[in-house]
Every structure is written in C-alpha cells, then in structure tokens.
Amino acid sequence: MKLLILCEKPDVKRKFEKALGGTTGFFNGNYFQIVASHGHLLTLDEPANQISASLKPKYADWSNINYLPWNLNDFSWKNVFKTDNDRATFNYIEQASFDKDAIVIATDNDPSGEGDVLGWEIVNALDWKGKVYRIRFADETPKGIIKSLNNWEDATEQFKQPIYLAGLARQRFDYASMQYSRMALYFARQAHHSPATLRLGRLKSVILNKIYLQTKAINEYVKKPFYEVRFKDSNGNIFKRSFDEATDMFRFNSRTGAEKDLINYVQNNVVIIDETKGKSKQPPALLDLGRLSVLLAKKGYTPKQILTTYQRMYEAGIVSYPRTADTKITQGNFDELLPLAPKIADVVGVSKSLLTHKLSRKKFIITKADHGANRPGLNVPNSLTEISAKYGALGQLIYETLAKSYLAMLCEDYEYDQIKAHLNLNPDFKSEINVPKKLGYKAIFDESSLNDDDDEEQNTLFSNSASPFIFEGANPKPKLPTHKFLINYLDKTGIGTAATRLSTISDISEGDRALTQLKKRVYCLTGLGKLQAILSLDCKIADEKTSKKLFDLMNLVKKNQANWKDIPNLINDMVLADKEIMQRNITKLKNVRINMKEVEYITGKFNGQDVAFKREWGGHKFTDTEVQALLAGQSIKIRVKSGEVSGRLARQQYNDTLFWGFKAEEKIYDEKTYITGKFNGQEVHFKREWGGHKFTDSEIQALLAGQVIKFSVKGGEVSGKLDQQQYKGKPFWGFKAEDKTYDEAVYATGMYDGEEVHFKRVWGNHIFTTNEIQTLLAGGSVSFDTAKGNVKGILAKQKYKGKSFWGFKPEIDIDPDNYVTGKFRGKIIKFKRVWGGHRFTDEEVAALLAGKVISFRNINDFQVEYTAHGKLAKQSFKNSEGKTIKYYGFKFLTPEAAAEFKLKE
C-alpha cells in the first residue's frame, strides 16, 4: 500500500523524515511519502457566498438585523483557499496524492479538534475516495512518531470521528458568531457612531469586558480607611489578629479609636516561637507563552513583538513550537533535551553544578503531548550574542528566560523554614514567616513575579520582642488591568490556549482599529474598544462561561454523548437574547463619552424608501441644497482635493455590505496635480510627483510605456514603474518603487531583529558614531547632547505623514511637528502641542503664550472625562543619567490654583 503522510507544518515533516529515514521509503512493508501543509490552507467562505442567489440580498444587507439570527441550514459551509501561496501548497500535496492508496492524517492532536479539521479540509479538497488513517503521536520524538504509526486508526468514515466532529462544531459556532459584528455595528449607528467595523468574538469580548469593568471599578472606588493596633519587631515582622467583621470590635473607622485602644498594650512584648517546620517547594511548571509574555512585558515589549520574534526563533529551531496548548512535556521530550542542558546552561550563564536533579518530576510529565510546553529548542546557539545579532535584545531575553525556566527543572527543591510565633502577653497577635535555607531552583529562576500578589517571602528571623503601633489599612483597591493581570485572569477562566490569548491581545492592541492600547503598562480601551465593550455589557458573547459551556459540549461530542450539529445553533440562541440586551445598551452609550469621531448621517426619502447616507464624501461635506438634489435622484458636481467629481445617490456594496451613498460617475482630474494618459490601452490618472521628485515629460512617457525609470531622491536613488495599487482598500494608479539605493553618506544600513534597515546617520545635528550605530542596531540605547539638552533614545520603526521609516526615536520627542514655537515673556521658546492626549487649538496656544490659564475637557488613562486647567511654565526633570533637563510646557493646575491665577489676570 502506498501512503501519503500529511503533516501540519514543515518542521513536523522534518521530524517525521528523521524518524522514518527520509521523505520517502518503506514502513511496515508500506511505501510512504511525507508532505506538509503550513497550517490551515483553507477557510470558510464569506456568508454571501455560502447561500443561494435568492438569499444573497438579505445576508448582504448590514442595515437590517431583523433577519438575525441566521438560519444555519441556509449555508453550504464551503471552503476557499486563503491565499495563492496556500493554493500552491495544496497543488504540491495533490500531485503527491495521485498514486497513493491511503492518506495518513498526521496533523496536531489539539484538544479543540483543530488539527483534525485542518487535515480533513485538505482531504476533502482533494475529493479523496480512498482510505484515510489518523495517527496521534504522544510527542514529536522519533520514538513517539514510530509508535503512533504502529497504532493508526481507520478514519475513512469522516463523520464517525468524534474529535473531528467536535472541532467542526467549534469552527461553525465561531463562524456564526460574526453575526455579532453586524448586530453591534447596527446598534452603534443607532447611537450615532459610525465605526468602519466592530469585531466581536468569544475571547475578544471577554477581554474587552474585563478591561472595561475593571477600569470602571477603579474609577468608582472609594477608599474606606480603617485603623487597628498591630505589633512589629525590630526586623520588621508584623504580628496581627485575624479579623471577623461580624464579631470583632478592634478595627476602627477613625484613628482616634485606635489611639485609645493603643494604651491597652505594652512595649517590648516578648515573641514566643510556636513552631519551626522545614518545608520544600518543587520548581514551577514550564512557562507557557502567556506567562512568558508577563515577564517580557515588564521590559516594555508588546504581545506582537513577542509573538513575531518567538516565531522566527522557532523556525530556526532555537525554541519550541510557540502556539502549543501543552503545559507539560512527555518523558521523551525530557530525555531528548537533557543531554543539551550543560550547553544551554553555558549559553545563559548558569552554573552546571546546580543541575543535579537529572530525573523527571511527575508534575512536569504527561503521557501524550502535541508539541510539549514552551522550552529551548534542540538547536542550541553558541552564545547570547549570537541570538542578539539575529533576533535583537528581545530574542536574547526570550531565550534566556525560557532556558532558565527549563534549567530550573534540573535543580533541587527550594528549602525553607516556616516559623510561627505569637506574643507572650497578647497571644491573639500572631505572625508567620518563611526563611530560606537552600535556594535550589530559585538560584536560577524565581517565579514569584508571575503571581497576582507580589508578596515576597520574609528572610529575616523574629527578634526577641515586638512593640505596638497603629496600622492604617483600607478596603482593597481594584487592580489595574495590566498585562500580568489580564493573562492571569484568562488563565483562571481557562478560555483558549496561552498562545491564543496572547495573539488575541496582540490583535486587538495593534493598528488603526485597535480596541485597546497600553498606556504606562496599563490596558486602556480606545474609543472603538469602549464602544464595543459597552454594547456587549451583560451579553452572553462577553460572558466567560460561554466558552466553558462550548468546550463542555465538545467534550461530550468527543465521548459520543452529544450531537455535534446542536452546537453551532447555540450561537443563534445567544444572538436572539443578546439582540435585546444590545438594544438596551444604546442608552448607556449616550451617557458615556466614547472619544471617537462621530460620522454625520443624512436620513430621508429616496424613491419612497427610507435611506441613510454619509454627509461627507472625499473630504467634501454636502450642502443642504446638494442633499436635497441627491434625495431627488439628481446628479451633482462637487470639488475634492484631486479635481471635480460628478455623481448621484445610489445603493452600493462593499465586500458583503450593502449601503447607500454618493457614487461617483465622472471625475475631472486637476492637471497641475495629475497626469492623464493611456497605459496598456486603458486611461489612467496618476500623481505628477513622488517623494518630492516631479516627473519629467520623458519620465512620464516611459512610465506610460510600462518602462522602469530611475531618479534621485533625498538620501539615494529610486527605480520603479507605473502600477495599480491600493490605499485603505481603494485602488489607484501611481509610481511604485521597486528598488532604492541608499546614499551611504546619508544613511546607515544594518540588521535589526533579523531585518535589513536603513536610517539617517544624523539626528538633530548629531552625527552617530560607528559605535552608536552598532549599539542602535543591537537594540540598545544611545545618549548625546543637543542644544536642547541631553537626549537618549533607540532605533525604532516610526511613521511620518502615513509613511513608515526607521530612525532614532528619542525618549523626549522634540520633533518640530509636535511642538509650538512662539514668544513667551519676551523670549522665543518651544513647547509640546499635545498634553495628556489633548492637542492645543490655535486659540489655546495664543492664550498660553500670553501667559493665561486655559481649561479644556480631557480623558484620563482610565477613559474618565475631566476638566484640565493649566498654564505655560518653565519646568524641569531629571533624565536617566541624573542630569536636570529644563523645558517649557503646559503645567497642570488644581481648580483652586487656576481660579486664583485667573483672578490675577
């Protein structure tokens, strides 16, 4: 029999080749050929393409939610290839399958069934009629792979495979949840907000809901102090009583009550040791991607940076598979990595004498693991410098952290004495401390910073006596929604794998449509995120229990105790219930400032039908006369930046969305700005200028002839040709650069995090030295003096007028575009135009330069609106090197101080 062994990704294919002795060969008398996908090649097609033609108008209309929830029986559940590259990979698999008798699905054995779904997507796309076998390897070691092939299961009857059916049910459930995005968008527009789109999903909604509610709890927190007598010995150890609110009377609401109670206790109360007990603690579990990100976030790295760098290191075999659901490893994984431990220790500077526990502990070992927990890979680098050169400072930190987490497994237990004591005259006052005896694994890796409570173990013994003092406490303040808080919360809820959580946080935190952003290491909702969070308040889609219920039902499907077809329909019950809740939540939007641009809509009658369309098009705001003409079905002519446009009101479609809006019929381009000509027989229009270079007549003719041209720009030479491109989803014709030669006298070139970058050698009249350039490329910071003081910064990817570039980024941004220059008290000064997210208007700038106090409405880091008062003043701060930097800037004033200054004015 000829077998086609289908692996999920190329690195697993390589491990199969190692186990079986090559890409092709014989195993148990059967000829085999190993092929690999690269994850999902196919995805479910858009809803409008899943249904019959007669139903398309209904499913494509986003302005009507009366047809929600969907009838899932209308769907064909058709898959399409995600990209051309995916189609090419499939073609290679298809070619290999032509002479085979059976396919062996060797994809990942995910608990969610995703690996089974991925494999069957490819098998079905092949229109396969032969035998199908499924193998589930305990680990990716040669032994584990051989064992799985000796124990394959006949899976030819696709719809009798319970794990596959559970995965299929989850996939369709999540696909049907896109109804929420349509529903939320509809209600957002009812509240006069007009985001381009909203992204609601099981995990996204839970995360946003938690950030919103936590921020709300912080803003509504009212401190309630209490006072009580406690004792402290000379080493700082605290003795206190346990408190029962119902019966105990020793806790007071005022300090006066505690002071009266204090006279009842004597100084130098003798400490009595009750018990000294030796205890030990095993090394912590290996880090998953979420817990790793908690440690790296403290260094300022974002989820996206961590995921991207880790993935590149994994592809080089330096670290293990990132998106694993496993939290343990198999004995095979342990045995495979153990011989490399001394070399790993040398790389990260850990003494090999600490690695004395060579037998695996039960807490780390599992019988079956798909990829095993995150750990160092089998390709051990020669040094951290080697990693830093290829993957930057973050890559070095990732390896160092993972390596020490792994090496801690091979260390002895942490040993300490737990000592309990009480006070002689007041035995109700007790204390307990843990005093280290042998550090064991903690000499390498201390996991305490991963926990929610940052209480560290005491390491000082009790002294002979303790004295009373008044302790001031308060009701606990809600914790800030930091990255650590969020990861620990999601870990407790059990929603998704660690990698899924991190990638979801990354997804909602990046780009122009980010739903949340990090400010001073605290997650704050953007206007878009706050809009979405408020709309989904109390909805089932934002309830952490929804995912638990889904996975409980999937487990029943895997045990043949539930019908998989019932699971996708659960989303429809949720949509029906949540539609009413979202409708009610509209009123909450009206009471909260979302801080996002509201788009004005015109409503009226068009051909007897109620319509709504945007008042603005291409930067032009329709006048009342133009609005009436459009509603009457007439064509109007308007002027936009690139010329004149004529058009009329029409129903249009964008992707699967139907909408009413102005539709251009003819555009007259401004000849001063645009070139008009024939390109491959088609009339095209493109800008006369690119990168500050104005095209000559000969260059224009060459471009229209499809030729490549070369010209000089600031900092080098560029070659390219005319091509059709896209900007924000809209096609346009223009010059497209194919190659740029950078002037070495102007630009420095080098590798940064594995990517070739170019950046200017000069910043603010400072010319970077060779050493400074190397430091920047290695991810380090450099500092130098300028006319405005000492500046410290790093190399970073930045944006200017919508275009990305690499360059020096200072800790204090003194970019003139972000500063105001003017005369203040007879002196020309420069100060920041933005304060606390508020950009000063020209009127406010004039008032500040005139020495006046200004007031404006603003939003703090927790999205709470307040009135800010302040004036322009000379201020100072100390930089990282202790130097005092003086500057002019907006100085915040209390309402009382502001009122006093205004009286003087």
Side-chain angles (χ1 to χ4, degrees), residues 713-822:
V713 292
K714 190 177 180 180
E717 280 191 333
V718 175
S719 61
K721 60 182 181 179
L722 189 61
D723 199 3
Q724 190 172 34
Q725 303 164 65
Q726 277 203 347
Y727 178 69
K728 292 186 176 179
K730 294 182 180 180
F732 72 95
W733 286 92
F735 176 79
K736 187 175 183 180
E738 294 181 335
D739 186 38
K740 183 172 181 178
T741 306
Y742 289 85
D743 186 344
E744 292 182 5
V746 179
Y747 284 86
T749 299
M751 299 299 292
Y752 181 87
D753 269 357
E755 177 185 351
E756 186 176 77
V757 299
H758 314 272
F759 63 98
K760 287 186 177 180
R761 291 180 176 272
V762 178
W763 190 92
N765 294 325
H766 173 77
I767 302 172
F768 295 114
T769 65
T770 302
N771 287 338
E772 287 173 335
I773 289 170
Q774 292 304 314
T775 300
L776 290 170
L777 288 169
S781 62
V782 299
S783 61
F784 47 86
D785 291 324
T786 69
K788 297 175 175 55
N790 185 267
V791 175
K792 184 178 181 182
I794 59 170
L795 184 62
K797 197 171 188 179
Q798 302 167 65
K799 272 191 175 183
Y800 179 69
K801 292 185 177 179
K803 293 184 178 180
S804 297
F805 70 96
W806 284 93
F808 176 78
K809 186 174 184 180
E811 287 181 344
I812 306 168
D813 189 358
I814 56 173
D815 180 356
D817 285 352
N818 292 323
Y819 273 70
V820 174
T821 302

Side-chain angles (χ1 to χ4, degrees), residues 613-630 634-649 652 661-670 730:
F613 62 96
K614 289 182 181 180
R615 180 146 205 162
E616 192 173 302
W617 189 92
H620 173 80
K621 188 173 183 178
F622 299 120
T623 65
D624 291 343
T625 304
E626 290 169 338
V627 167
Q628 294 306 314
L630 290 170
Q634 299 170 16
S635 177
I636 64 170
K637 184 180 286 186
I638 59 175
R639 180 145 195 97
V640 293
K641 189 176 180 181
S642 55
E644 284 190 332
V645 178
S646 60
R648 64 183 70 236
L649 188 61
Q652 302 167 65
F662 178 80
K663 186 174 184 179
E665 295 175 327
E666 183 183 6
K667 185 171 183 179
I668 302 170
Y669 287 85
D670 185 348
K730 294 182 180 180

Side-chain angles (χ1 to χ4, degrees), residues 529-542:
K530 196 170 185 181
L531 173 66
Q532 188 166 309
I534 294 173
L535 277 174
S536 60
L537 278 175
D538 302 320
C539 288
K540 293 183 184 296
I541 192 66

Side-chain angles (χ1 to χ4, degrees), residues 303-334:
K304 185 177 181 179
Q305 290 172 319
I306 295 165
L307 287 166
T308 302
T309 305
Y310 193 114
Q311 179 67 27
R312 288 172 48 226
M313 294 173 71
Y314 157 68
E315 289 167 0
I318 295 172
V319 292
S320 65
Y321 182 63
R323 301 179 189 278
T324 179
D326 299 321
T327 56
K328 299 182 179 183
I329 57 177
T330 66
Q331 186 63 47
N333 296 142
F334 183 87

Side-chain angles (χ1 to χ4, degrees), residues 44 77 79 112-114 116-118 120-121 124 158-159 161-175 554 557 564-565 567-568:
L44 286 166
W77 302 106
N79 284 314
S112 65
E114 187 174 1
D116 290 72
V117 172
L118 185 154
W120 276 107
E121 284 172 349
N124 291 335
Q158 179 180 357
F159 286 91
Q161 309 306 313
I163 297 178
Y164 164 70
L165 295 177
L168 188 65
R170 181 198 60 81
Q171 182 192 53
R172 293 188 180 182
F173 178 97
D174 285 341
Y175 179 87
M554 287 169 57
V557 170
W564 73 274
K565 292 182 179 179
I567 292 178

Side-chain angles (χ1 to χ4, degrees), residues 267-311:
Q267 299 289 320
N268 300 319
N269 207 325
V270 175
V271 173
I272 306 296
I273 304 298
D274 296 315
E275 180 186 37
T276 300
K277 192 174 183 179
K279 289 199 169 189
S280 65
K281 187 178 181 182
Q282 289 190 350
L286 289 170
L287 293 172
D288 60 29
L289 208 52
R291 286 156 59 85
L292 173 66
S293 72
V294 168
L295 297 175
L296 301 179
K298 293 182 177 182
K299 305 289 185 181
Y301 293 106
T302 66
K304 185 177 181 179
Q305 290 172 319
I306 295 165
L307 287 166
T308 302
T309 305
Y310 193 114
Q311 179 67 27

Side-chain angles (χ1 to χ4, degrees), residues 410-443:
L410 306 179
C411 295
E412 299 303 327
D413 293 355
Y414 165 62
E415 296 181 14
Y416 61 97
D417 281 334
Q418 186 179 81
I419 307 173
K420 297 179 180 179
H422 72 271
L423 299 180
N424 183 38
L425 297 178
N426 304 100
D428 287 346
F429 286 82
K430 298 176 181 179
S431 185
E432 181 181 301
I433 59 173
N434 296 324
V435 181
K437 290 198 303 185
K438 292 183 180 179
L439 286 178
Y441 75 85
K442 282 183 180 279

